[in-house]
Structure formats: C-alpha cells, structure tokens
C-alpha cells in the first residue's frame, strides 16, 4: 500500500504510471507542470488565499505590537465584501464597467476605513480596552453584513460578471 494514497485517497488509489508512462494519482497532482493541471491551479489558488490572510495578519501584527487587539477584523471583512458585492450588483447597465466595479470597491474600503477610525477614536478618547470596543464592533459589523440582504445571497446577472470575476480571481 502506497502511504501517500492513504493520505490523499481522492487523488488516486495507487501511484503507478499509466500505460503511456504518465504519472497519475497523487504523483500527477504533486508533479504537475502544465498550467492546466491541478497542481499549478492549486498553487495559484493557495497563493491568492494566503495573500488575503497575510495582509490581514500584517494589520493585526501592527495592532498587537502597539499593545492592542482587534477582534472585529473578520466581521469587517465580511461587511466590506457584502457592501462591495451589493453595489456591484446594483449596476443597471447592460454590461459591467470597470468604473462601477472600482466605485463599489472604494465604497467597501470606505466602510472599512470608517469602522477603523471609529475603533481608534473610541479607544483613544474613552480609554476603554480595545478588546471590548472591537468585540462590540465585531457584533455590529457581523449583524450589518447579515442584515444587508436579510441573510439572502446577492445575485448577479451572469453577463455582468466580467470585471468582478477578473478582480475576484486575481486576474486583473
């Protein structure tokens, strides 16, 4: 029994080469070099996801270095994403224009900026612990993200998703 097949059973139950000499199973996944193969796509997807977490971790690191903590980061990301997608979906034109997508992104970043300024000013002026202030902000942001569409998904017209897809898939 191949030990990697036990770890990655969905990628093949054995690691022998096929009749053309090409690896399959977990070896194909691990050694894929063609852009269309799953290995490269998986690495690109992982890199994109790690970048999002890395940017958030950088902000949290700076906050912790100055002796604070921000519990509202995840909820603010959800609210910003919901706000941005909501405004992108509000486009009434026949196609999605880059200007509308950028405006929606700026609105989302403005929401994040307002929440960050509120947290900072409130902690600085009231001398309340950042833990308590950002805990409250987290609950408010999470509730606002849910209340945007009463918990319902925001849908798009498939013909309008070109710029949004390019932005979200990291191809812009």
């Amino acid at each position: 029994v191949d030990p990697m097949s036990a770890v990655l059973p969905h990628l093949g139950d054995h690691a022998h080469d096929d009749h053309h000499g090409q690896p399959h199973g977990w070896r194909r996944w691990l050694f894929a070099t063609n852009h269309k193969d799953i290995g490269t796509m998986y690495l690109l997807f992982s890199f994109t996801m790690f970048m999002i977490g890395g940017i958030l971790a950088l902000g949290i690191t700076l906050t912790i270095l100055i002796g604070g903590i921000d519990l509202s980061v995840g909820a603010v990301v959800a609210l910003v994403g919901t706000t941005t997608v909501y405004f992108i979906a509000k486009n009434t034109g026949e196609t999605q224009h880059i200007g509308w997508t950028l405006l929606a992104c700026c609105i989302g970043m403005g929401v994040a900026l307002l929440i960050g300024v509120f947290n900072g000013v409130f902690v600085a002026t009231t001398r309340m612990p950042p833990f308590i202030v950002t805990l409250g902000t987290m609950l408010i942001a999470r509730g606002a993200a849910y209340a945007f569409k009463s918990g319902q998904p925001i849908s798009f017209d498939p013909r309008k998703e070109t710029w949004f897809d390019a932005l979200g898939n990291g191809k812009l």
Side-chain angles (χ1 to χ4, degrees):
V1 174
D2 187 6
M4 285 303 288
S5 295
V7 175
L8 303 169
H10 62 285
L11 297 174
D13 53 353
H14 47 62
H16 302 291
D17 293 345
D18 64 10
H19 62 278
H20 298 292
Q22 298 294 320
H24 62 89
W26 68 268
R27 287 186 182 159
R28 178 175 181 204
W29 174 79
L30 187 63
F31 298 113
T33 57
N34 188 341
H35 181 67
K36 293 181 180 178
D37 282 333
I38 191 168
T40 307
M41 290 187 299
Y42 176 77
L43 289 175
L44 289 173
F45 176 76
S46 297
F47 182 72
T48 304
M49 292 297 106
F50 290 141
M51 288 304 298
I52 294 169
I55 291 169
L56 294 175
L58 179 64
I60 293 294
T61 301
L62 295 175
T63 303
I64 291 172
L65 284 175
I66 63 168
I69 190 161
D70 190 350
L71 301 176
S72 65
V73 172
V76 171
V77 168
L79 180 60
V80 167
T82 303
T83 305
T84 303
V85 170
Y86 177 80
F87 282 105
I88 289 173
K90 284 294 182 186
N91 180 25
T92 56
E94 289 186 26
T95 61
Q96 183 68 51
H97 297 287
I98 186 69
W100 188 262
T101 303
L102 290 175
L103 176 64
C105 291
C106 288
I107 292 170
M109 288 188 286
V111 168
L113 180 68
L114 287 175
I115 292 172
V117 167
F118 170 79
N119 281 342
V121 168
F122 200 80
V123 168
T125 58
T126 64
R127 304 264 188 223
M128 287 181 67
F131 181 86
I132 302 298
V133 174
T134 59
L135 180 66
T137 306
M138 176 187 74
L139 296 173
I140 292 168
R142 185 183 298 166
Y146 181 80
F148 233 93
K149 292 280 286 181
S150 302
Q152 299 300 314
I154 300 171
S155 60
F156 285 94
D157 182 355
R159 296 169 297 196
K160 296 182 183 179
E161 292 187 51
T162 56
W163 287 109
F164 181 72
D165 281 345
L167 182 65
N169 292 329
K171 298 197 183 344
L172 185 61

